[in-house]
Amino acid sequence: MIKSMTAKDYIKLEDEIGAQTYSPLSIVIERAEGVWLYDIDGRKYLDCTSAFSSVNLGHCHPKLLEVFTKQAAEMTQLSRAFRNTQLPLFFKEITELTGKDKVLPMNTGAEGIETAVKMARKWAYTVKGVEKDKAEIIVCNNNFHGRTTTVISFSSHQKYKENFGPFTPGFKIVPFGDIEALKAAITPNTCAFLMEPIQGEGGIQIPPDGFLKQAETLCRENNVLLMLDEIQTGWGRTGKLFAHLHEDVNPDVLIVGKSLSGGFYPVSALLADKEIMDVFKPGDHGSTFAGNPLGCAVSKKAMQVLVEENLTQNAEEMGNYLMENLKTLQNPHIKEVRGKGLFIAIELDGPARPYCDKLLEKGVICKETQTNIIRLAPPLTITREQVSFLVDCLKTVFEQ
Ligand SMILES: *Cc1c(COP(=O)(O)O)cnc(C)c1O
């Protein structure tokens, strides 16, 4: 087949007329299937990013494709001005799987977090009895919850905030995984504690064992909502359906997104029990595309496939297998290898990008985070053979 445009042409076109908000690797992908990405020059790569864990079921899963195309031919977007046949079935699936009474659908992760902030504040004033406009939400240092103005207001990364002020007040930042600091930060005005059970963009940072459980207890004692952002850690990524299940914790508010739809469509959701969700009344909140039939149909199927294909268990098994091998890597620049399930970091004492570039030549795509950390998060459908291929590539790159 003759191609009219080369990789260079595509890159030039994109860079000339697109806003420069990313610094992507210089490969142009034209097709993706399962764990593999194919560039326009016919090269094949093992995807160890899973689009920031939004394609946990692999790219273009055939069962999702079938439901998606069928639904797209029937109805796509209706708004919630009236009802549709897909929304309630999606609600049933997600509440049964998470064990929560109620769900509120949104589109993106950041929008889900914004919604959680509104929910916690309204709960503070109408249930907890906090004085008007005094509600406080505690968050963690090094967090990542999205890029909207309110969400970056409580980021600790200057890069995310610089020149974007003024910021939304009402947030307190405590060190990640420090129970004493959390205890000290709680006041009668605290309505919620928001955290990622494992920080993803922050470099796969895992809190000390038992921290989540202690935080849960502390929140309960102080009538503070425990809100867990499992947008990246959810849907089997860490070897449990949700990362909070490693410590048998029950969050008051659970925020999910990314792989909820298997990567076919932006769908996020908040889950909470009735007494909390019911603070929202008609007219309080909304979003034009939230809960549309196309997103609902494919998300419902994505949750079913995750369960039917035992992908959470596969994440645990393949994660352990990968981790065992990573621990044997001989390279003086490796400071630490850590992770849970298929959510793994190789932390180096210097820049990670040169290693990522070499891995790319070998046919493995991974992207550094925080400049010195390589995040390995392949689709949960990865096979033992594919993990072995990854290990061989890592050995070559790190030990040569
Ligand atoms: C990606 C991510 C978000 C933001 O999701 P978007 O869909 O990009 O808005 C929020 N929280 C966590 C933990 C994430 O990984």
Side-chain angles (χ1 to χ4, degrees), residues 302-347:
M303 288 183 278
Q304 289 169 344
V305 169
L306 184 73
V307 174
E308 281 164 17
E309 297 189 357
N310 288 318
L311 296 179
T312 302
Q313 197 190 331
N314 194 57
E316 189 193 2
E317 288 169 10
M318 292 305 115
N320 288 341
Y321 175 49
L322 177 55
M323 188 66 106
E324 278 164 29
N325 280 285
L326 292 178
K327 297 254 187 211
T328 68
L329 281 181
Q330 299 295 320
N331 181 305
H333 298 291
I334 297 178
K335 272 174 68 187
E336 190 185 25
V337 178
R338 60 175 176 267
K340 278 193 178 153
L342 285 170
F343 204 42
I344 295 178
I346 304 175
E347 182 165 341

Side-chain angles (χ1 to χ4, degrees), residues 46-257:
L46 179 72
D47 181 9
C48 285
T49 69
S50 302
F52 304 123
S53 296
S54 58
V55 291
N56 285 358
L57 310 189
H59 293 275
C60 298
H61 194 294
K63 289 179 190 162
L64 300 189
L65 180 62
E66 194 188 331
V67 165
F68 188 79
T69 47
K70 182 171 174 288
Q71 186 58 48
E74 285 170 2
M75 60 175 162
T76 56
Q77 157 69 345
L78 292 173
S79 89
R80 292 192 66 186
F82 32 84
R83 297 172 191 269
N84 71 71
T85 52
Q86 294 301 323
L87 186 74
L89 304 180
F90 164 68
F91 283 0
K92 186 164 183 284
E93 194 74 36
I94 197 169
T95 50
E96 282 177 3
L97 207 51
T98 56
K100 287 289 173 201
D101 294 344
K102 290 199 151 189
V103 52
L104 174 55
M106 283 286 131
N107 305 287
T108 65
E111 199 184 16
I113 298 296
E114 288 272 347
T115 308
V117 167
K118 287 173 77 174
M119 179 190 267
R121 286 178 169 182
K122 188 160 186 200
W123 178 85
Y125 304 125
T126 60
V127 179
K128 183 164 175 169
V130 174
E131 193 189 323
K132 189 175 187 294
D133 291 345
K134 289 282 184 337
E136 292 167 357
I137 296 175
I138 301 174
V139 300
C140 296
N141 191 49
N142 195 42
N143 69 67
F144 184 84
H145 298 288
R147 300 288 204 149
T148 57
T149 26
T150 286
V151 174
I152 61 165
S153 295
F154 54 85
S155 171
S156 58
H157 285 278
Q158 272 323 302
K159 174 71 186 150
Y160 297 165
K161 304 180 73 162
E162 201 154 278
N163 293 319
F164 297 131
F167 300 109
T168 308
F171 302 96
K172 259 191 198 170
I173 301 178
V174 298
F176 182 66
D178 182 340
I179 197 72
E180 291 308 320
L182 177 60
K183 195 181 277 179
I186 293 175
T187 74
N189 290 336
T190 306
C191 60
F193 172 50
L194 169 67
M195 74 173 281
E196 304 152 83
I198 297 176
Q199 290 183 333
E201 298 313 296
I204 320 283
Q205 309 294 345
I206 306 172
D209 276 345
F211 175 80
L212 277 186
K213 198 73 200 166
Q214 290 172 320
E216 179 189 46
T217 307
L218 196 57
C219 286
R220 297 281 136 80
E221 284 168 1
N222 290 279
N223 199 21
V224 165
L225 301 178
L226 176 63
M227 306 203 295
L228 294 184
D229 176 348
E230 293 240 25
I231 290 167
Q232 190 161 166
T233 50
W235 309 119
R237 174 53 60 192
T238 71
K240 297 269 185 202
L241 184 59
F242 295 105
H244 64 261
L245 298 174
H246 287 287
E247 291 193 9
D248 194 25
V249 160
N250 182 17
D252 297 296
V253 181
L254 176 65
I255 306 111
V256 294

